[in-house]
Amino acid sequence: MRFISWNVNGIRAVLKKDFLETFGEFDADIFAIQETKCQPDQVEIDIPGYHQFWSSAERKGYSGTAVFSKEEPLRVLRGLGDDYLDTEGRITALEFEKFWFVDVYTPNAQNELARIDHRMQWDDAFRDFCVGLEQGIVPSGEETSPKPVVICGDLNVAHNDIDLKNPDRNRGNAGFSDEERGKFGELLDAGFVDTFRCLHPDLEGAYSWWSYRFNARNTNAGWRIDYFLVSKSLVDKIESASIYSEVYGSDHCPVGLEVNITEV
């Protein structure tokens, strides 16, 4: 199966920049987007052959996630099951027969880590959520069968020095603070694998986000903050993990994963 994830930084804006053509070229089984910045009734997207599922923020023009899937899921979750954390449309999770697919847009800690406490609460809740799905428990407490989890999205953290162009200059800043990097490590320790680093452990200059300032994209002064993570049970089923830096339209580029789910 082919999965694609892309923080589009506003779906209405990217629709004017060949989004549908890019979508079609990927021909993904599941295509997830983050930072939709709209309510479902504010945009009309008709893509034949795909079911679509949206999770929007209460605040208009902010945050939001959506998933387009060729296969109709068994169940759709739009949140972690926490009233405080589920107001920004940051989760769209789909259950299929053999796996869970989780699309996430992680909160930004903001300048001077102004929102770091919220971010730490989110990271803990998100980790528990994903582990629960893997074990067969949904937020309502209802049990389902245990199955592996595929996680994708903008996790708003560069894990290691290799994952951004200027680590020394950014150490301690939002997205590269010890606190955020530590929580990402806890997510991996909970049983999930960074698929890109699994296949490309030493590849430098591989980034998925570039600031609009300072000509950052042209000089490749970027960060790798968009990920595909999978349960450890899927590691030997990974066929490829990619970053499509040639695709424009947002300050992020798409990332991809191919996994042989049929053998799970």
Side-chain angles (χ1 to χ4, degrees):
M1 295 185 74
R2 167 176 279 191
F3 305 122
I4 296 292
S5 174
W6 192 8
N7 180 322
V8 295
N9 194 12
I11 184 63
R12 287 171 291 181
V14 82
L15 279 169
K16 301 174 184 178
K17 303 175 184 177
D18 300 324
F19 172 78
L20 292 178
E21 289 82 353
T22 300
F23 187 104
E25 289 171 1
F26 277 120
D27 190 29
D29 294 287
I30 299 179
F31 196 118
I33 59 176
Q34 305 88 43
E35 207 170 356
T36 56
K37 294 185 177 180
C38 76
Q39 308 293 318
D41 59 359
Q42 292 180 296
V43 64
E44 184 174 341
I45 303 177
D46 182 18
I47 304 179
Y50 285 87
H51 306 276
Q52 50 184 286
F53 307 92
W54 296 73
S55 181
S56 301
E58 293 179 1
R59 170 182 164 191
K60 288 188 176 181
Y62 181 72
S63 188
T65 53
V67 178
F68 300 82
S69 173
K70 288 182 178 179
E71 180 181 346
E72 187 171 4
L74 305 174
R75 183 198 316 252
V76 180
L77 303 177
R78 295 179 173 86
L80 301 173
D82 184 311
D83 291 342
Y84 172 66
L85 296 174
D86 287 339
T87 63
E88 297 179 346
R90 295 183 178 275
I91 293 285
T92 305
L94 279 57
E95 182 183 13
F96 297 96
E97 181 183 358
K98 294 187 176 182
F99 68 102
W100 277 93
F101 184 88
V102 178
D103 178 20
V104 59
Y105 177 38
T106 301
N108 192 303
Q110 299 184 350
N111 290 339
E112 299 183 355
L113 304 183
R115 210 184 187 195
I116 192 65
D117 290 343
H118 177 82
R119 171 62 181 267
M120 296 295 95
Q121 184 177 354
W122 170 274
D123 283 343
D124 286 340
F126 180 68
R127 184 182 63 253
D128 291 346
F129 172 79
C130 294
V131 170
L133 296 184
E134 190 177 51
Q135 295 175 345
I137 303 171
V138 297
S140 65
E142 180 183 353
E143 294 188 4
T144 64
S145 59
K147 58 187 68 175
V149 179
V150 176
I151 303 166
C152 77
D154 176 359
L155 274 73
N156 256 318
V157 61
H159 187 211
N160 291 312
D161 286 9
I162 195 175
D163 295 315
L164 71 166
K165 180 66 174 288
N166 298 303
D168 292 339
R169 188 185 310 169
N170 286 286
R171 206 172 305 278
N173 291 341
F176 200 57
S177 68
D178 290 344
E179 295 92 334
E180 293 163 294
R181 296 168 67 196
K183 291 297 184 184
F184 187 85
E186 290 179 27
L187 180 58
L188 299 183
D189 290 343
F192 299 98
V193 175
D194 177 349
T195 60
F196 187 81
R197 281 293 168 228
C198 180
L199 297 189
H200 312 285
D202 303 314
L203 182 60
E204 298 180 357
Y207 309 128
S208 63
W209 173 80
W210 302 262
S211 171
Y212 281 132
R213 300 180 295 169
F214 311 122
N215 203 31
R217 190 151 189 178
N218 287 337
T219 60
N220 199 29
W223 299 50
R224 190 175 72 95
I225 59 176
D226 300 271
Y227 296 85
F228 269 97
L229 310 179
V230 298
S231 298
K232 287 184 177 179
S233 61
L234 291 178
V235 168
D236 61 352
K237 307 296 191 299
I238 298 171
E239 297 177 342
S240 69
S242 307
I243 298 177
Y244 298 98
S245 57
E246 72 278 9
V247 177
Y248 282 69
S250 168
D251 52 347
H252 296 249
C253 73
V255 296
L257 174 69
E258 294 191 21
V259 180
N260 189 351
I261 295 288
T262 59
E263 294 186 359
V264 174

